[in-house]
Amino acid sequence: MKQEWLRKTIRSFTPYKVPEIKEHIVINANESPYDIFNFPDVKKDFLTRLAKLPSYHYPDPFANTLRKALGRYVSAEYNEILAGNGGDEMIQLILNTFIDEGDTILVHVPTFDVYEIDGQVLGARIVKVPDSEDFKREGETFLEAIRKWQPKVTFICNPNNPTGDIWPVSLIEKMIQASPGIVVVDEAYMEFSGQESMISRLHSHDNLIVIRTLSKAFGLAGFRLGYCVANADIINAVSLTKPSYNLNSFTQLMGVVALEHSEEILKHNVPPTIAVRDYLIERLRTIKGVEVFPSAANFILVRTYDGPRYVKTLSEADICVRSYGNRADLANCLRITATTEYVANKILKVFQKEASHEDC
Ligand code: PMP
């Protein structure tokens, strides 16, 4: 294939890479350890309705039944919601809607790489505000960057992936007020934070978009169901470039059923995950040579004296974690998803063993 056939913005492009996994304990993608079909009522409701699903019809293009269920879940109107194939599709649609070539996207780094990657495809200028050395995001520095760069779109990942850092609603509100353009607050992990969602402030700001997903707290990563919440005008705008039938009937149905059982699912999935996260944080902090950063999400970021060595030893123990290759800002860091106590204890064993080697 001729290189010049490619659009210019992707000729020297590094896509978001999902690694091949050979280990059996997979804690590299912040997935839930809980299977939705282990809730008997959810399984029964889903299968009963699935049997009546007309496979020969296209899905509802705007997933209205699902949007109403999401609206009840987040206390918003259905026309203030757009649903699609994961938070990933929401990010893409938002940027397709607002970004022209050369426009500025502001992000804090490190964060979810997809904001930058999707922005690059569109030829945006990406302005990055680095965290402090201990992965704290300085609110005042970010505010200054908003004032200086006047971004068309600003991304705030809250809690932040991969650091787990969380900003309070009041601080994010200042950023929204200071922004001349759209502020996207990505709350993929919000259910694990115990903090108020920015969705509660939707009606005070006409430039706020909140992204959420059912991949994490609901354990539905395989179904691909994300959504964004914003005022109805923004939702209409973000829908302009949406593929007509972006969300298949199967996923729409699963979403409706899961949301009808949201209380039971979240009560079962979230508190144990938080407990394992906090247990890991507490125990890892007692291990020499391991820096552990606070987290409001279902994962923790740790920095070790030799990241690749830990990745290798964890892999030998059949555990796959997320590492960051030769990225300077995340050198020797690992991101570990909090799942079960059994897995947490296996991780701790590896870390204790490695720490004892360091002493030698
Ligand atoms: N936002 C953040 C911060 C994420 O970490 C992820 C998934 N890792 C997503 C959005 C996308 O999630 P999904 O497409 O599974 O909804």
Side-chain angles (χ1 to χ4, degrees):
M1 196 199 76
K2 289 181 186 154
Q3 206 47 21
E4 60 264 33
W5 288 349
L6 285 179
R7 59 189 299 174
K8 292 188 188 79
T9 54
I10 61 168
R11 285 186 196 163
S12 56
F13 178 71
T14 316
Y16 190 84
K17 215 166 158 216
V18 179
E20 249 182 69
I21 297 169
K22 55 183 190 312
E23 299 84 357
H24 292 95
I25 299 174
V26 182
I27 50 168
N28 72 334
N30 304 333
E31 292 153 319
S32 169
Y34 301 113
D35 184 343
I36 198 140
F37 293 123
N38 284 341
F39 296 92
D41 290 346
V42 176
K43 186 172 180 175
K44 191 167 139 247
D45 281 3
F46 178 69
L47 293 179
T48 309
R49 291 191 226 175
L50 184 64
K52 294 183 203 140
L53 201 68
S55 63
Y56 43 85
H57 277 320
Y58 282 110
D60 173 357
F62 277 93
N64 281 326
T65 308
L66 172 63
R67 290 205 293 168
K68 285 174 188 161
L70 287 166
R72 284 190 289 277
Y73 175 56
V74 297
S75 304
E77 297 298 323
Y78 81 100
N79 63 353
E80 295 172 324
I81 295 170
L82 178 67
N85 270 280
D88 282 346
E89 189 182 30
M90 297 300 109
I91 296 165
Q92 209 171 40
L93 287 177
I94 291 166
L95 292 178
N96 279 349
T97 306
F98 297 109
I99 290 296
D100 279 311
E101 199 178 336
D103 280 348
T104 299
I105 297 174
L106 185 73
V107 293
H108 47 78
V109 282
T111 191
F112 189 43
D113 292 330
V114 170
Y115 314 139
E116 180 179 348
I117 292 169
D118 287 359
Q120 276 174 353
V121 174
L122 297 172
R125 173 175 63 166
I126 317 289
V127 175
K128 304 179 190 182
V129 181
D131 286 2
S132 63
E133 169 64 6
D134 59 354
F135 297 121
K136 283 252 163 355
R137 296 172 295 176
E138 294 298 335
E140 200 41 53
T141 313
F142 202 67
L143 266 168
E144 268 168 36
I146 291 172
R147 290 185 201 114
K148 175 173 174 194
W149 296 100
Q150 297 284 299
K152 189 82 172 285
V153 175
T154 297
F155 279 98
I156 297 172
C157 187
N158 208 52
N160 187 30
N161 173 13
T163 66
D165 186 48
I166 188 152
W167 268 341
V169 165
S170 53
L171 182 57
I172 296 179
E173 281 209 287
K174 282 191 199 160
M175 290 158 186
I176 297 168
Q177 279 155 0
S179 294
I182 295 287
V183 177
V184 182
V185 182
D186 185 343
E187 296 187 349
Y189 301 95
M190 185 45 81
E191 283 93 344
F192 301 102
S193 74
Q195 187 174 295
E196 193 184 357
S197 162
M198 288 309 295
I199 295 171
S200 64
R201 303 302 151 87
L202 212 62
H203 296 146
S204 315
H205 308 284
D206 63 2
N207 57 342
L208 167 64
I209 306 179
V210 179
I211 294 179
R212 303 287 290 268
T213 181
L214 271 70
S215 292
K216 311 297 178 181
F218 283 83
L220 284 177
F223 277 81
R224 311 303 301 123
L225 177 46
Y227 56 104
C228 63
V229 193
N231 71 51
D233 280 351
I234 289 189
I235 292 299
N236 287 339
V238 174
S239 306
L240 287 172
T241 64
K242 180 183 88 59
S244 307
Y245 305 111
N246 63 323
L247 196 55
N248 69 74
S249 312
F250 194 70
T251 299
Q252 291 191 27
L253 174 60
M254 183 75 257
V256 169
V257 173
L259 289 157
E260 282 172 8
H261 294 271
S262 62
E263 240 175 80
E264 181 193 355
I265 295 168
L266 296 179
K267 208 162 129 192
H268 176 275
N269 290 6
V270 173
T273 304
I274 293 173
V276 169
R277 175 195 74 200
D278 292 345
Y279 171 69
L280 267 172
I281 290 176
E282 187 195 318
R283 298 302 303 276
L284 285 168
R285 282 205 172 130
T286 65
I287 299 174
K288 222 176 114 197
V290 180
E291 241 181 305
V292 187
F293 302 98
S295 172
N298 68 338
F299 55 81
I300 54 174
L301 189 73
V302 300
R303 188 155 50 202
T304 65
Y305 67 92
D306 184 347
R309 184 179 169 133
Y310 273 82
V311 170
K312 186 166 168 284
T313 328
L314 283 159
S315 173
E316 283 160 7
D318 213 14
I319 301 170
C320 172
V321 297
R322 177 80 153 91
S323 57
Y324 297 91
N326 49 13
R327 263 183 72 159
D329 56 347
L330 289 163
N332 294 318
C333 287
L334 313 176
R335 192 192 64 200
I336 300 169
T337 309
T339 57
T340 62
E341 206 176 317
Y342 167 78
V343 172
N345 284 327
K346 277 192 84 114
I347 296 164
L348 288 167
K349 228 186 219 170
V350 173
F351 273 76
Q352 274 147 0
K353 201 170 118 207
E354 277 303 322
S356 65
H357 287 164
E358 194 199 4
D359 285 341
C360 301

